[in-house]
Amino acid sequence: GFGFIDRCCLLFYIVELTLRASFWQCKFLIGPLSVVSWHWLDTLLVVDGILFYTLPTCTATTFTNYLRILRLVRYLRIIKLVHVLLQSNLSWTEGEQFQSIIMAII
């Protein structure tokens, strides 16, 4: 099923986070909130993914609730996606070629 795809995506995110952390070094998690808040969110999401795949299913209520909360944090990815879309240059969507492709799809 999707387990293999999920693990591949998690591996991609781990590599990406590691590369960004090595680039930013000490400023990766400490600095202006507008920059490091996204780094903290990415770190939390990657840690959540690692915990999801490495920790066995547990019957302890407190631990289970903790994992549920971490799984809910995954929805914060949507916020990051919106942030990335708002920061990106979407002028290419105004081109004739893109609009022709969209018209063909519709």
Side-chain angles (χ1 to χ4, degrees), residues 47-74:
V47 167
D48 171 52
I50 293 169
L51 289 176
F52 181 75
Y53 282 110
T54 57
L55 294 178
T57 305
C58 184
T59 58
T61 307
T62 305
F63 187 72
T64 306
N65 288 338
Y66 173 72
L67 284 179
R68 285 182 186 152
I69 291 170
L70 275 180
R71 288 179 189 151
L72 288 174
V73 169
R74 291 181 182 183

Side-chain angles (χ1 to χ4, degrees), residues 3-15:
F4 177 74
I5 295 171
D6 284 344
R7 287 187 174 110
C8 288
C9 289
L10 178 61
L11 179 62
F12 172 80
Y13 286 126
I14 291 170
V15 170

Side-chain angles (χ1 to χ4, degrees), residues 76-93:
L76 292 176
R77 293 181 195 176
I78 296 169
I79 296 171
K80 179 168 179 155
L81 179 63
V82 169
H83 173 74
V84 169
L85 286 174
L86 292 176
Q87 297 293 325
S88 63
N89 179 5
L90 297 177
S91 62
W92 56 272
T93 60

Side-chain angles (χ1 to χ4, degrees), residues 2 4 21 38 40 52 55 72 92 94-95 100 103:
F2 291 105
F4 177 74
W38 298 109
W40 277 100
F52 181 75
L55 294 178
L72 288 174
W92 56 272
E94 297 172 6
S100 298
M103 289 302 288

